[in-house]
Amino acid sequence: MTHPSVPPVRVRLFAGLRERAGWGERLIHLDARPGAQRTTAADLWGQLALDGAPGEENAELPATVRVAINQAFAAPDSPLAPGDEVAFLPPITGG
Amino acid sequence: MSTTSPVRPAPPIEVQLLEAPFQPLERLAAWQRSLAAEGPDATGSAAESHFIGRVRPTTATGEPLEALELEHYPGMTESQLRALAEACAALHGVGAVLVAHRVGRVRPGEAIVLVAVQADRRGPALRCVQELLEDLKHHAPFWKREWSGGRGTWVAGNTPL
């Protein structure tokens, strides 16, 4: 059941994670029913089967993948709010 | 009883993400001119330290490199670079910081990163450049992909210090 009045969460993937998943951005409606448990970034990783292989649904978020919520680093178990932007970041290689 | 310490203004921090090749010495000269225009008291500029990083001509496995592709997270990369520079500047008490970083396709020999720090003494200037460089390599969202033989490979980690 969707709730059109509740803004979705924007999920973003980068670099190798984006290419493995085949998409870079997706809008996801969280379970907004009263009493529903708040979805975390790590929950979304499992629900979206971002570990890659089919059958890997609900896999744990690897320690090498960092989470950003609204463009700031966040703990994987941070609960998400409607309208948040959550990004999964593979190992950073800048400079 | 109260103690007061002189309030230092926040040092000027300049962050640049560049989509085209750049000349680091020209960027440095422009930065120095802009700081000088703010007056001699604007920064403690008795010491200045710089780092220029360029793309090496080979891949991590020793193959000839055609280009390095730099992906970033628009918005977060800029804000994270600024936050890292502000934290480093505050920690070392330096006067001004410049960070310029390429994005997109960068060819061997081209500059990929420039970090410059002005301070009152050599120690803070040198330490802030080195720490900020390490910080941005690990905590500013950039991802490198090496192109060689027409194939792209995401780089798994940073090179040793």
Side-chain angles (χ1 to χ4, degrees), chain B residues 8 17 21 30 34 55 63 75-76 84 87 89 110 117 120 122 141-142:
Chain B
R8 294 173 62 127
L17 282 189
S34 73
V55 174
E63 304 296 317
M76 180 174 177
L84 293 171
E110 287 181 353
V117 172
D120 188 45
R122 65 190 181 282
F142 289 105

Side-chain angles (χ1 to χ4, degrees), chain B residues 25-126:
Chain B
L25 298 185
E26 291 176 8
R27 290 273 158 181
L28 269 179
W31 176 69
Q32 290 165 336
R33 281 195 300 272
S34 73
L35 290 174
E38 293 177 21
D41 296 331
T43 63
S45 56
E48 191 172 303
S49 185
H50 315 133
F51 178 86
I52 297 167
R54 297 183 184 276
V55 174
R56 59 174 57 80
T58 52
T59 68
T61 55
E63 304 296 317
L65 182 82
E66 290 156 10
L68 201 58
E69 180 187 343
L70 261 292
E71 180 170 332
H72 73 295
Y73 186 171
M76 180 174 177
T77 301
E78 293 92 326
S79 61
Q80 188 64 12
L81 281 175
R82 180 166 293 279
L84 293 171
E86 286 173 351
C88 200
L91 180 66
H92 294 287
V94 307
V97 179
L98 167 67
V99 179
H101 203 296
R102 276 293 311 275
V103 294
R105 200 172 171 89
V106 192
R107 298 208 295 204
E110 287 181 353
I112 185 171
V113 63
L114 165 66
V115 175
V117 172
Q118 286 190 354
D120 188 45
R121 293 188 179 279
R122 65 190 181 282
L126 288 163

Side-chain angles (χ1 to χ4, degrees), chain B residues 5-31:
Chain B
S5 56
V7 177
R8 294 173 62 127
I13 307 284
E14 188 164 338
V15 170
Q16 304 173 353
L17 282 189
L18 306 168
E19 295 181 355
F22 73 105
Q23 297 300 327
L25 298 185
E26 291 176 8
R27 290 273 158 181
L28 269 179
W31 176 69

